[in-house]
Amino acid sequence: MGTEEIHLKPVSMYTITAKLMNHLVDSVKNELGEEGLELLKQGVENFVAELKKMVEEAPNRYNLVEEETFSFEKLIDEQKVEETYKKFAKAQDEAGLDETVSIYGMMAKVFGHVTKVIVDRYGDIGENVIRRGVGTFGEERGRHIAERAALVGKPNTIENYLTHYDMGRSDLFEYETIYHENEIEQTFTKCAFGDQWKKDGMHRYGILYCQMIDPSIAKGYNPNFDVVHDEYILEDGCCHFLFQMKK
């Protein structure tokens, strides 16, 4: 249903995943110190344990070896994210899984696990630490979208936002876009991230990403760009956005 044509090559999900992890690490380390960082690493270990269980319980039992799965160090390095995910994707196929995990789902899973350990330990303080990490990540992405537009001589106006967006859309996303004067309305009925969090029972943790990401990207793209996100797939069955440029 989405009709936007991204004018430049999308940024890989391997890069986006590593950038998100680095921003979460910075936020947790700066505000919660070494204890928070150790919890973050525990979240990664929990995530890896889930992956191992998936393939070990598959029809074709498959024992993962170290290079076929993730670690904290690999998840903060975009090249290692790519190398490891491709090896794990092959392992998923060989295990004969009925449903494999895409790179979008993989990012959702690791975010869910690292957020869970922080929020379960620190409560509201932990939620705000995660939100700030997602916020700085989003603002960096927004600035990069503005740079992508500038590369082809376009200003960071509302008309050039989606056509120079950084993340590609796969068939794991279904959405409709309607352009109004000084406003873009989008409705997502399918989202790889939200669908993964629903499947995993990670609603409470995934929603922290949903609440922050689009307003932060818009702010980084243009400080006069606002986002009204009044419906969420995790709560309402669809995501509804109004992207509004202040006059």
Side-chain angles (χ1 to χ4, degrees):
M1 288 189 292
T3 58
E4 294 78 38
E5 180 182 346
I6 297 178
H7 290 174
L8 298 171
K9 182 180 178 181
V11 176
S12 82
M13 280 302 300
Y14 311 117
T15 298
I16 289 174
T17 300
K19 284 185 178 295
L20 172 61
M21 279 299 295
N22 275 283
H23 279 275
L24 293 176
V25 168
D26 287 346
S27 184
V28 167
K29 190 171 182 179
N30 289 341
E31 300 190 47
L32 302 176
E34 288 301 322
E35 181 185 47
L37 188 58
E38 288 305 310
L39 278 173
L40 204 65
K41 292 178 180 178
Q42 181 61 55
V44 172
E45 291 178 12
N46 295 345
F47 157 69
V48 172
E50 180 187 327
L51 299 187
K52 288 183 176 181
K53 184 177 180 181
M54 282 171 48
V55 297
E56 288 173 359
E57 294 182 350
N60 303 327
R61 180 180 171 87
Y62 188 99
N63 293 316
L64 287 175
V65 295
E66 183 178 352
E67 63 267 17
E68 291 171 335
T69 193
F70 292 90
S71 67
F72 177 80
E73 290 74 18
K74 289 178 181 178
L75 283 165
I76 57 177
D77 182 318
E78 61 187 84
Q79 183 176 344
K80 287 185 170 58
V81 171
E82 179 174 6
E83 292 172 354
T84 306
Y85 177 75
K86 287 180 176 178
K87 290 174 182 176
F88 178 74
K90 183 178 179 181
Q92 289 186 98
D93 291 339
E94 293 184 5
L97 292 175
D98 292 334
E99 293 184 18
T100 57
V101 181
S102 69
I103 185 58
Y104 299 93
M106 194 69 67
M107 190 180 98
K109 278 183 173 292
V110 69
F111 179 84
H113 277 288
V114 300
T115 297
K116 184 178 188 303
V117 293
I118 295 296
V119 172
D120 287 358
R121 169 65 178 83
Y122 294 103
D124 292 345
I125 292 173
E127 288 187 4
N128 288 330
V129 169
I130 295 296
R131 285 191 183 99
R132 280 189 279 273
V134 176
T136 58
F137 164 68
E139 288 181 30
E140 179 184 339
R141 283 182 58 189
R143 291 190 294 271
H144 183 231
I145 294 169
E147 291 168 1
R148 285 162 62 87
L151 281 173
V152 291
K154 301 291 185 181
N156 58 337
T157 59
I158 192 169
E159 296 83 6
N160 296 317
Y161 180 60
L162 293 178
T163 52
H164 297 88
Y165 202 68
D166 58 341
M167 191 180 82
R169 305 292 194 198
S170 76
D171 58 5
L172 298 175
F173 297 85
E174 291 181 0
Y175 59 100
E176 180 181 51
T177 305
I178 302 173
Y179 283 85
H180 307 285
E181 185 177 0
N182 291 315
E183 182 180 83
I184 304 170
E185 181 179 7
Q186 276 197 318
T187 304
F188 279 76
T189 52
K190 187 177 178 181
C191 168
F193 303 125
D195 291 343
Q196 189 67 59
W197 288 319
K198 283 197 293 185
K199 181 179 178 181
D200 294 345
M202 289 284 190
H203 299 65
R204 179 186 176 188
Y205 311 105
I207 198 72
L208 302 179
Y209 183 90
C210 302
Q211 290 168 346
M212 291 299 300
I213 189 61
D214 287 281
S216 301
I217 295 174
K219 179 181 177 182
Y221 176 74
N222 186 318
N224 293 318
F225 208 6
D226 281 342
V227 177
V228 176
H229 190 175
D230 54 5
E231 292 182 43
Y232 294 87
I233 277 181
L234 286 173
E235 295 178 344
D236 308 296
C238 71
C239 273
H240 181 256
F241 300 90
L242 295 174
F243 297 85
Q244 301 169 332
M245 189 68 76
K246 301 174 188 175
K247 292 184 179 179

